[in-house]
């Protein structure tokens, strides 16, 4: 059986530099990020956040924009909590049912960071690299998948998940606008895993920008 899945992402925004040569922009990640498979539990949120920030800053550099710094632990925790809620409820939404943290504005304020503008990107990506292409199920019980030409499709590493997620966002006008927003200066991203989804699970990502 040959199947094709499309990863899903949604973006939202709220309101309260010298150009750099594109060929000089760097997207190199750490060896740890490149060679470590994202686990189904005890995910290294900091490692993923760093890998995604590298990708975001690569695209900002190509657009002649300054790179973003981390938005801090408070906002990263809020992003993680929202990802956990999405994974648990199977809902890709900027608005949750969590009291006091239901909206983007509430989450950013709860993080305790100062901001004048902010935005949020969210996404849902399968654990194995099967999104946006036709693939074969080699062995469902052992999570073995392959492309049409027989190439094995492994589980995402931190680096591949980061690049895939940011590529999805960059290919979507709304998400791209958030990533390339001149007003934002910091970003934090977090992920949660849903083990019950088809094809051996899915990751739910939340990315928050502030400026």
């Amino acid at each position: 059986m040959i199947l094709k899945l499309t990863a899903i992402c949604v973006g939202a925004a709220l309101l309260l530099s010298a150009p750099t040569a594109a060929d000089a922009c760097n997207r190199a990640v750490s060896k740890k990020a490149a060679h470590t498979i994202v686990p189904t539990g005890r995910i290294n949120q900091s490692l993923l956040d760093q890998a995604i920030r590298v990708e975001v800053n690569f695209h900002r550099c190509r657009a002649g924009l300054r790179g973003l710094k981390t938005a801090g632990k408070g906002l990263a925790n809020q992003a993680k909590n929202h990802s956990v809620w999405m994974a648990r409820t199977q809902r890709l939404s900027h608005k949750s049912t969590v009291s006091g943290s239901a909206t983007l504005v509430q989450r950013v304020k709860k993080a305790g960071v100062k901001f004048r503008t902010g935005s949020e990107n969210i996404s849902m990506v399968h654990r194995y690299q099967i999104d946006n292409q036709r693939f074969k199920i080699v062995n469902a019980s052992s999570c073995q998948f392959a492309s049409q030409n027989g190439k094995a499709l492994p589980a995402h590493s931190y680096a591949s998940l980061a690049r895939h997620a940011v590529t999805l966002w960059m290919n979507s006008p709304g998400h791209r606008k958030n990533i390339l927003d001149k007003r934002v200066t910091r970003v934090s991203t977090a992920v949660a895993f849903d083990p019950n989804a088809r094809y051996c699970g899915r990751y739910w990502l939340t990315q928050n920008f502030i400026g």
Side-chain angles (χ1 to χ4, degrees):
M1 179 186 298
I2 298 177
L3 305 166
K4 183 174 181 179
L5 297 175
T6 301
I8 302 173
C9 52
V10 178
L14 66 91
L15 288 178
L16 295 173
S17 91
T20 305
D23 58 0
C25 299
N26 182 15
R27 72 191 316 181
V29 296
S30 68
K31 290 184 178 179
K32 186 175 182 180
H35 298 295
T36 304
I37 298 298
V38 183
T40 58
R42 301 190 65 139
I43 297 171
N44 187 331
Q45 299 287 344
S46 177
L47 188 60
L48 180 69
D49 180 52
Q50 291 171 10
I52 287 184
R53 194 161 58 252
V54 166
E55 283 294 309
V56 165
N57 284 339
F58 169 74
H59 290 289
R60 286 180 64 89
C61 174
R62 287 174 61 88
L65 301 173
R66 291 182 179 179
L68 303 181
K69 297 181 179 180
T70 177
K73 193 171 183 179
L75 194 56
N77 286 338
Q78 289 300 312
K80 179 183 176 182
N81 291 342
H82 189 63
S83 290
V84 168
W85 176 86
M86 290 194 296
R88 186 182 71 248
T89 61
Q90 300 287 298
R91 293 169 62 182
L92 191 69
S93 173
H94 294 286
K95 189 171 183 179
S96 76
T97 57
V98 180
S99 178
S101 301
T103 67
L104 173 57
V105 174
Q106 289 176 330
R107 290 191 289 275
V108 175
K109 287 183 176 179
K110 196 168 184 179
V113 294
K114 294 181 179 180
F115 70 101
R116 289 183 294 179
T117 185
S119 57
E120 179 174 84
N121 287 342
I122 54 179
S123 184
M124 178 183 68
V125 177
H126 284 85
R127 184 183 183 219
Y128 283 77
Q129 297 180 38
I130 58 178
D131 289 314
N132 297 342
Q133 66 176 305
R134 298 179 72 83
F135 67 94
K136 303 175 183 178
I137 301 174
V138 178
N139 189 316
S141 62
S142 60
C143 302
Q144 294 181 42
F145 307 97
S147 64
Q148 285 194 83
N149 62 11
K151 181 181 178 181
L153 299 173
H156 276 292
S157 67
Y158 285 93
S160 69
L161 179 58
R163 182 168 295 192
H164 182 62
V166 175
T167 298
L168 288 173
W169 286 328
M170 285 297 293
N171 288 338
S172 168
H175 305 89
R176 181 186 179 91
K177 181 179 179 180
N178 290 340
I179 289 173
L180 302 183
D181 189 343
K182 296 179 181 179
R183 301 167 300 171
V184 298
T185 57
R186 292 173 286 167
V187 62
S188 285
T189 309
V191 64
F193 182 68
D194 166 25
N196 299 315
R198 290 188 70 187
Y199 311 119
C200 302
R202 292 184 297 202
Y203 295 111
W204 298 73
L205 297 98
T206 303
Q207 179 178 61
N208 292 140
F209 301 89
I210 56 173

